[in-house]
Amino acid sequence: MSKSYDAIIIGTGQAGPPLAKRLSDAGMSVAIIERQLFGGTCVNTGCIPTKAMVASAYAAHLARRARDFGVTIDGDVRVDMKSVQARKAAISERSRTGVEKMLRGLPKCDVYTGHARLRAAREVTVGDETLIADRIFINVGGRAAVPSMPGLNDVPFLTNSSMMHIDSAPPHLVIVGGSYVGLEFGQMFRRFGSEVTIVEMGPRLVQREDPEVSSAIQDLLTSEGINLRLNAKCIRLGGRAGAIVAHVDCDDDRRTVEGTHLLLAVGRQANTDDLGLDAAGVSRDERGNIVVNDRLETNVPGIWALGDCNGKGAFTHTAYNDFEIVASNLLDGESRSVSDRISTYALYTDPPLGRAGMTETEAQRSGRTILVGKRPMTRVGRAIEKGETTGLMKIVVDANSREILGAAVFGTGGDEVIHSVLDTMYAKAPYPVLQRAMHIHPTVAELIPTILQELAPPAS
Ligand SMILES: Cc1cc2nc3c(=O)[nH]c(=O)nc-3n(C[C@H](O)[C@H](O)[C@H](O)COP(=O)(O)OP(=O)(O)OC[C@H]3O[C@@H](n4cnc5c(N)ncnc54)[C@H](O)[C@@H]3O)c2cc1C
């Protein structure tokens, strides 16, 4: 027996649930399928729990620095990892149950639990059920990539998902991967009391950023006692539970890192391998991402792919924006596309890095004549008052068109401050508009107009 719907949604990540609500509000019958935890990665093993843990790590760090602010704490500052995890779990759970409750409360929306597979272009199976619809929306997200690394099969390793269950700080956490996920976990566990070593194959951390931003992040982490092994060209793993050995040099076996736990943070892999895409004729690229056009339509009419699984973004806000694009095009008669959006994201170290648009390197490579404005956080009053002067801000503009091309705010409040620049970019306003804006004192954002008054050609 099969059941027919107006729409089937596979996955309850960041795009599926709001889409189910929009379609249901529009009077459509909807089936939504989740095989694991409602809310997906962000809610259960990504943004929300990690940022809750970053907040605990920040509290520990600030408590240790209490004397800097004239505050005395008698006795040691200790971290109770079980309580940290319980706080994080409660925050995630609230969100997860909220998503499930919302979906189950929608009129004409059936919620299925189980692994969904496409059987044909209009047909999805989940368990013993066969569902049919003219519109299928795939929102299956991704998981931690596990590369074929010598020795990896023989040692126990953690991913962002299994890290969620660790309720004591590992004595020595070795992290393979020096990008966003690795750095966030690295700094938080250092602050929870672990020794931490980050092993990165490339010559610097977060390599998509400008070298000076990478270098400021590197200085921050080393200042907190995190060990870095860069240029680890040939990583080979060995040892056993509790005594992990990472060989980090191709030729020299003596270059090893020994730790107690291993966290793999080397990227993400779309959950598209067991989805029946071939049966429906839906194309994937060589990385496993579902191929979509600018409107997030796959090569099969009536099938869309939203969120991390389409490779057009790797963030909660990109997945949610995918939902907005698809819903507007389908229900509001609009013509929105992915290429209208400006790249933006944050790295949640403390302080965070907020980013919008191009890096300086990308702007230079684009062949434009650019101007750059910069300011170290040591020259930002608000940062000095808060005792948080790590980092820098920089803005890149096109000297001829006066368009803002991009910005990086690595410093206290960087994840919020960046929106001052981002929204000006969306408004397509030339940089003098922001240069002449009056901002609130004392804030970090009040220096954005000043930075734009001090623009200069790049150093090289
Ligand atoms: C450690 C970490 C920290 C992060 N921090 C941030 C951050 O601070 N900010 C940010 O913007 N992004 C962050 N991200 C990225 C963010 O979590 C993802 O980009 C976002 O969750 C993607 O949402 P999605 O809707 O594409 O998929 P997901 O949230 O992954 O949801 C997909 C859902 O589909 C389900 N599913 C998969 N296959 C099937 C199937 N065959 N049948 C039924 N159900 C299926 C899955 O179980 C899952 O629930 C972080 C990621 C990680 C790993």
Side-chain angles (χ1 to χ4, degrees):
M1 273 286 283
S2 60
K3 201 163 172 201
S4 292
Y5 292 90
D6 292 320
I8 298 171
I9 300 171
I10 306 177
T12 66
Q14 294 304 305
L19 185 61
K21 177 157 180 13
R22 277 292 323 262
L23 296 173
S24 163
D25 287 351
M28 291 191 194
S29 60
V30 179
I32 187 161
I33 311 157
E34 174 53 57
R35 71 175 179 189
Q36 216 179 353
L37 296 172
F38 286 85
T41 307
C42 178
V43 166
N44 299 290
T45 58
C47 341
I48 292 181
T50 54
K51 267 80 257 182
M53 290 166 80
V54 164
S56 293
Y58 176 70
H61 181 67
L62 205 57
R64 290 187 193 109
R65 291 189 56 208
R67 202 176 288 274
D68 295 351
F69 299 87
V71 175
T72 307
I73 294 178
D74 289 328
D76 291 342
V77 173
R78 290 205 200 93
V79 177
D80 173 2
M81 279 306 293
K82 288 192 171 51
S83 299
V84 169
Q85 292 291 22
R87 174 180 182 273
K88 170 223 81 182
I91 293 171
S92 272
E93 192 189 344
R94 206 172 307 139
S95 197
R96 178 169 60 246
T97 50
V99 171
E100 182 172 1
K101 207 169 150 205
M102 184 277 283
L103 290 172
R104 292 197 187 278
L106 291 177
K108 290 170 75 177
C109 177
D110 290 340
V111 178
Y112 292 84
T113 52
H115 182 94
R117 264 186 209 89
L118 291 153
R119 200 157 67 182
R122 297 279 174 274
E123 212 173 299
V124 173
T125 59
V126 49
D128 297 334
E129 314 255 10
T130 299
L131 314 178
I132 293 172
D134 282 341
R135 301 171 196 83
I136 296 176
F137 303 93
I138 303 173
N139 176 220
V140 291
R143 59 185 186 273
V146 180
S148 54
M149 198 173 271
L152 189 60
N153 290 336
D154 305 322
V155 293
F157 63 87
L158 296 152
T159 64
N160 67 292
S161 301
S162 43
M163 282 301 277
M164 293 297 128
H165 308 297
I166 287 222
D167 64 1
S168 62
H172 187 168
L173 180 63
V174 177
I175 300 175
V176 176
S179 200
Y180 306 86
V181 172
L183 302 194
E184 290 180 17
F185 275 115
Q187 188 188 36
M188 84 170 82
F189 273 90
R190 179 67 191 141
R191 290 178 171 191
F192 290 149
S194 297
E195 186 175 350
V196 172
T197 302
I198 297 176
V199 178
E200 163 58 46
M201 285 181 149
R204 59 189 175 88
L205 301 175
V206 280
Q207 290 175 74
R208 71 194 273 183
E209 306 305 336
D210 284 329
E212 67 188 323
V213 172
S214 282
S215 144
I217 293 168
Q218 188 166 322
D219 290 349
L220 164 75
L221 298 179
T222 50
S223 76
E224 294 193 17
I226 292 175
N227 313 305
L228 298 180
R229 288 297 182 96
L230 303 175
N231 289 308
K233 293 270 180 284
C234 281
I235 302 172
R236 186 161 50 83
L237 297 156
R240 57 191 156 76
I244 306 291
V245 183
H247 302 267
V248 295
D249 197 288
C250 305
D251 312 316
D252 185 353
D253 242 12
R254 286 168 304 171
R255 283 201 62 194
T256 59
V257 176
E258 289 173 30
T260 55
H261 294 69
L262 174 69
L263 167 63
L264 216 54
V266 289
R268 308 278 298 164
Q269 171 71 49
N271 290 325
T272 54
D273 28 15
D274 191 14
L275 194 54
L277 291 175
D278 291 343
V282 175
S283 304
R284 289 194 298 168
D285 65 18
E286 65 288 350
R287 301 196 60 217
N289 296 320
I290 298 174
V291 178
V292 290
N293 64 16
D294 220 18
R295 296 162 62 89
L296 304 168
E297 297 155 339
T298 68
N299 61 312
V300 176
I303 304 185
W304 289 255
L306 302 85
D308 283 10
C309 68
N310 66 26
K312 298 265 183 197
F315 300 99
T316 283
H317 45 274
T318 49
Y320 190 82
N321 187 243
D322 284 0
F323 142 67
E324 293 181 315
I325 290 167
V326 169
S328 296
N329 292 346
L330 216 59
L331 302 172
D332 304 332
E334 291 195 24
S335 183
R336 292 180 62 176
S337 53
V338 186
S339 50
D340 294 338
R341 70 188 179 206
I342 298 166
S343 162
T344 189
Y345 50 86
L347 160 68
Y348 286 94
T349 46
D350 167 44
L353 165 70
R355 281 272 298 108
M358 295 183 195
T359 60
E360 182 181 338
T361 314
E362 285 165 348
Q364 266 177 327
R365 277 196 198 128
S366 75
R368 292 171 169 89
T369 305
I370 63 168
L371 296 171
V372 182
K374 289 185 202 174
R375 176 163 286 243
M377 296 304 283
T378 47
R379 291 181 55 222
V380 175
R382 185 75 178 124
I384 296 167
E385 290 144 19
K386 292 172 80 176
E388 298 182 354
T389 52
T390 296
L392 73 147
M393 293 193 267
K394 92 194 242 188
I395 307 178
V396 183
V397 307
D398 186 314
N400 299 316
S401 68
R402 305 199 299 172
E403 180 192 358
I404 300 175
L405 299 175
V409 181
F410 175 51
T412 182
D415 53 331
E416 302 286 351
V417 175
I418 195 70
H419 290 90
S420 160
V421 180
L422 180 65
D423 291 343
T424 311
M425 292 171 76
Y426 269 113
K428 299 194 190 311
Y431 74 79
V433 171
L434 186 52
Q435 189 185 51
R436 289 168 199 169
M438 182 181 75
H439 284 186
I440 296 168
H441 172 77
T443 59
V444 175
E446 75 177 317
L447 271 306
I448 299 277
T450 311
I451 291 170
L452 289 169
Q453 283 152 23
E454 296 170 353
L455 292 168
S460 55

